[in-house]
Amino acid sequence: MNIVTLLPFIVLIGAMFLMTRSAKRKQQAAAQMRNDMQPGTGVRTIGGMYATVKEVNDETVLLDAAPGVHLVFAKNSIGAVLTDDEYNRIVHGIDPELNDDGLVVPDDASSLTETDEPADDASDASADKPLDLGKKDPADEKAEAGTVDAAEPKKTDGESDAK
């Protein structure tokens, strides 16, 4: 047999060997992560649920999902073991990277309406002229401006424009 005819088979076998080797390495790393779980650490299941490890057994893990809610999962269903900072950031919304020295943004819009002037002065300015939010008829607006022809009667919805 010629080496040229065997070359594609050798390349194919080498590629399969490399792919299975990397997959086996990932499986070993995941198994090691699951074996290193300790009670009190935060985990994420493969279904996306976040919980705290309560107890670790040979094949199962007891998780504390909420106060008084204990769930038994298979060890293989643990997708990731999280650090304390990451677990607190995701579950409790506590971000250790944020400084308390920074600006505080209020939860409501009350700071947008506050002024340095007393409230009495602000109410006097709005009491001068009442605010009318009603919709006006265009003919009424012309009448106020003094541009309405006295000979032309006001049109209603039932009248047509054609004469």
Side-chain angles (χ1 to χ4, degrees):
M1 270 217 175
N2 193 353
I3 189 81
V4 176
T5 57
L6 291 177
L7 188 62
F9 293 114
I10 293 171
V11 170
L12 183 63
I13 291 171
M16 289 174 47
F17 174 73
L18 290 175
M19 286 191 301
T20 57
R21 187 172 155 210
S22 67
K24 189 180 287 186
R25 215 181 280 154
K26 286 180 184 178
Q27 286 176 348
Q28 287 175 348
Q32 183 65 32
M33 173 209 48
R34 291 181 184 115
N35 289 333
D36 290 344
M37 278 189 298
Q38 299 294 324
T41 58
V43 295
R44 182 184 67 236
T45 65
I46 58 174
M49 184 183 72
Y50 292 92
T52 305
V53 176
K54 186 101 169 151
E55 183 180 307
V56 180
N57 298 320
D58 291 336
E59 296 294 322
T60 61
V61 177
L62 181 66
L63 299 178
D64 186 18
V69 179
H70 303 289
L71 306 168
V72 178
F73 276 81
K75 268 190 177 180
N76 292 338
S77 67
I78 303 300
V81 176
L82 307 172
T83 63
D84 289 337
D85 290 340
E86 185 178 9
Y87 181 78
N88 287 331
R89 181 182 56 83
I90 293 170
V91 175
H92 303 297
I94 301 169
D95 195 358
E97 295 177 1
L98 291 179
N99 294 335
D100 292 334
D101 301 336
L103 294 175
V104 177
V105 178
D107 291 339
D108 58 357
S110 63
S111 66
L112 299 175
T113 59
E114 292 177 6
T115 60
D116 294 335
E117 300 174 3
D120 295 336
D121 295 340
S123 64
D124 290 340
S126 63
D128 291 343
K129 184 178 178 185
L131 183 62
D132 184 19
L133 298 176
K135 189 174 180 182
K136 294 184 179 181
D137 190 25
D140 291 341
E141 290 177 4
K142 288 180 183 177
E144 287 178 6
T147 59
V148 171
D149 295 334
E152 185 179 334
K154 224 184 197 185
K155 294 182 182 178
T156 59
D157 293 336
E159 293 182 28
S160 65
D161 290 335
K163 291 187 179 180

